[in-house]
Amino acid sequence: MYLEIVTPEAVLFSGEVTSVVVPGVDGEFQMLDNHAPIISLLGKGSVKVYGEMTLEEEVAEKFVKENGVTLLPINSGTIEMKDNKVIVLAD
C-alpha cells in the first residue's frame, strides 16, 4: 500500500509500506493492503509504520525506529484510506 504522511510544515514521507497502525479517537486500528475505504479522526499517540521507510534527512528526527517499526508521535490528525493509498494529515 502507498502511504503519505503530511504535516502543516511538510510532507514527511511518501512511499510503499506493509501496514499502518494509527491512534484513532476510539482506539488504535490497523490498515493492511486493500483495506476498505475509511476516513477517521486521529487522537494523541503514534502512527506505527511497518515496512521499509527511507526518510529524508531533514525529517528523520521526527520519527523513532523501534523493533523494526517506525513511529511518528502525533497530537491529532485525520486519515483517509482509499484505493490502497493512505493519507495521514498529522499535527
Side-chain angles (χ1 to χ4, degrees):
M1 70 167 49
Y2 191 82
L3 171 65
E4 209 171 84
I5 301 176
V6 182
T7 67
E9 296 84 32
V11 175
L12 300 184
F13 174 78
S14 59
E16 292 289 326
V17 299
T18 305
S19 70
V20 181
V21 177
V22 293
V25 291
D26 292 326
E28 277 191 342
F29 63 95
Q30 182 177 28
M31 285 155 293
L32 298 167
D33 207 26
N34 296 310
H35 192 283
I38 186 172
I39 295 175
S40 180
L41 293 174
L42 301 178
K44 186 175 177 91
S46 290
V47 176
K48 300 174 186 172
V49 182
Y50 295 84
E52 287 299 315
M53 287 180 73
T54 304
L55 299 169
E56 298 293 325
E57 191 176 312
E58 58 271 8
V59 300
E61 76 277 354
K62 296 181 185 294
F63 293 84
V64 177
K65 295 217 180 209
E66 193 175 274
N67 298 327
V69 180
T70 305
L71 307 172
L72 173 66
I74 64 168
N75 291 316
S76 64
T78 58
I79 188 166
E80 178 185 20
M81 170 79 176
K82 183 180 174 189
D83 298 328
N84 222 29
K85 180 178 181 180
V86 178
I87 302 173
V88 176
L89 303 174
D91 254 348

